[in-house]
Amino acid sequence: MASVKTDKIWLDGSLLPYERATVHVLTHSLHYGLGVFEGMRCYKTDDGHLAIFRAREHIRRLFDSARILEMKIPFTEAELLQACVDTVRANGLGECYIRPLVFVGEGEMGVAALNNRTRVAVAAWEWGAYLGEEGVKHGIRVKTSSFVRFHHNSLLCMAKATGHYVNSILASHEARHGNYDEALLLDVDGFVSEGAGENVFFARDGVVTTPPLSSALPGITRDAVITILGDAGITVVQRRFPRDAIYIADEFFMTGTAAEVTPVRELDDRRIGSQTPGPITTQVRETFIAAMRGRDPRYRGWLYYV
Ligand code: PPE
């Protein structure tokens, strides 16, 4: 795994040397898990520039997440977009992953510490294929988790919050202990919700289906894929479905900033469809790559140049 160590990390408005971007152990978020974050990828376009994929949408979701959890970010969206650009530049990075994090600082302890300062960090590092190079080429093996995705009245799934990831970590560890590549989580009613760190899509008879946003993160890649499919004239349905809808699917794939578009070849030890990646998955993946490389004029608005 590539190192996350770089020269600089942006913290509360300034770029600090990596070693100095530290926090106190009484940082509230470390104890109770209230924090929001983003993950975005910066790509090299065909004409030699660096561009963050859908940076505005990611920063908007960061502010939405903070709003949902009543956290006040002491910067504007424009300032944080600039912080992302500055972090990539200050580290002389090429293609990389960018991680803005908003958290509650130290001061008061106890669950309801309303007066602690909200702090913001932006780090960036090089990050390869999230589910492995082999997985991207030949498809990954996924297992339905025994851990259920949290109910939307327990935690708020429109927010990308740090504490939510305990649920993902449990599922992801369980999958890896069983030698699978990733976990699929069902919601409290037993319908498919999402992967531990990805949204999910299946195709059958030329129609693509994805779960609604009632129990899944509103993924920026999910949104891009829905747009790409729509532009290609492929019908996308958003509805609840049980896991056996995937067992009989022709294709199954996962999407996310880190995972991009990753084909799945098996769910619960059952082979999905007859070939992996299938034709729709391949088409979506290729159009997604063309978009991030700045090769497709229809999606140039998704690029935020560094
Ligand atoms: N669901 C979950 C639970 C999730 O964590 C992600 C992203 C998505 C869906 C897809 O969202 P988007 O990236 O906007 O398309 N997961 C991030 C974190 C991965 C990690 O291990 O860290 C990511 O892909 O950056």
Side-chain angles (χ1 to χ4, degrees):
M1 174 142 269
S3 166
V4 296
K5 190 174 179 313
T6 51
D7 286 347
K8 303 262 195 247
I9 288 182
W10 188 98
L11 184 61
D12 301 324
S14 8
L15 280 161
L16 301 179
Y18 182 91
E19 291 75 14
R20 281 185 43 220
T22 55
V23 296
H24 198 273
V25 288
L26 293 186
T27 294
H28 193 272
S29 291
L30 272 177
H31 296 249
Y32 306 108
L34 181 69
V36 296
F37 70 105
E38 273 305 320
M40 21 202 193
R41 276 191 189 269
C42 183
Y43 293 106
K44 195 166 259 159
T45 60
D46 280 358
D47 55 8
H49 293 99
L50 277 177
I52 304 171
F53 189 73
R54 309 199 74 183
R56 285 185 207 84
E57 291 88 334
H58 279 284
I59 294 297
R60 181 175 187 208
R61 186 173 66 185
L62 184 72
F63 277 77
D64 286 344
S65 298
R67 189 163 175 198
I68 288 168
L69 296 171
E70 298 187 280
M71 299 177 79
K72 268 196 88 170
I73 301 181
F75 296 94
T76 62
E77 293 191 28
E79 284 168 334
L80 292 193
L81 276 167
Q82 191 57 44
C84 293
V85 168
D86 291 348
T87 306
V88 173
R89 281 199 192 135
N91 289 299
L93 287 163
E95 298 213 330
C96 60
Y97 184 87
I98 307 167
R99 169 58 55 83
L101 170 69
V102 177
F103 60 101
V104 184
E106 75 273 26
E108 284 176 35
M109 273 309 206
V111 168
L114 291 167
N115 300 311
N116 291 10
R117 175 161 80 112
T118 303
R119 308 188 58 184
V120 186
V122 181
W125 60 84
E126 281 171 21
W127 208 357
Y130 187 58
L131 298 164
E133 283 298 342
E134 276 301 296
V136 171
K137 268 192 221 125
H138 305 296
I140 58 166
R141 296 176 59 247
V142 173
K143 180 81 174 95
T144 303
S145 187
S146 72
F147 296 100
V148 168
R149 195 72 179 145
F150 51 81
H151 189 269
H152 54 266
N153 287 332
S154 299
L155 296 166
L156 305 164
C157 53
M158 300 287 271
K160 188 170 171 71
T162 57
H164 293 178
Y165 281 81
V166 175
N167 183 232
S168 290
I169 288 169
L170 288 169
S172 171
H173 283 183
E174 181 188 56
R176 279 159 182 87
H177 292 324
N179 284 318
Y180 296 94
D181 300 305
E182 188 55 303
L184 176 71
L185 289 99
L186 307 179
D187 67 18
V188 288
D189 297 317
F191 294 102
V192 170
S193 78
E194 59 182 339
E198 309 83 7
N199 291 113
V200 300
F201 291 82
F202 77 82
R204 180 172 155 103
D205 296 338
V207 174
V208 175
T209 305
T210 191
L213 292 179
S214 47
S215 69
L217 185 77
I220 311 287
T221 320
R222 176 185 183 276
D223 179 77
V225 164
I226 290 172
T227 303
I228 287 170
L229 286 165
D231 291 348
I234 296 168
T235 306
V236 188
V237 181
Q238 300 189 39
R239 64 167 171 87
R240 298 172 103 191
F241 56 85
R243 71 170 93 169
D244 48 346
I246 301 174
Y247 294 169
I248 57 167
D250 301 323
E251 302 179 37
F252 178 33
F253 60 92
M254 294 183 141
T255 68
T257 298
E260 298 175 329
V261 176
T262 299
V264 181
R265 71 170 193 274
E266 273 177 28
L267 174 63
D268 302 341
D269 304 296
R270 292 151 188 261
R271 187 88 179 76
I272 307 301
S274 53
Q275 68 177 107
T276 313
I280 293 180
T281 311
T282 302
Q283 187 183 346
V284 168
R285 195 178 152 74
E286 281 173 0
T287 311
F288 180 75
I289 292 169
M292 69 161 83
R293 299 274 170 233
R295 225 175 276 156
D296 193 326
R298 291 175 296 178
Y299 309 120
R300 214 147 279 155
W302 286 349
L303 301 180
Y304 190 83
Y305 287 94
V306 169

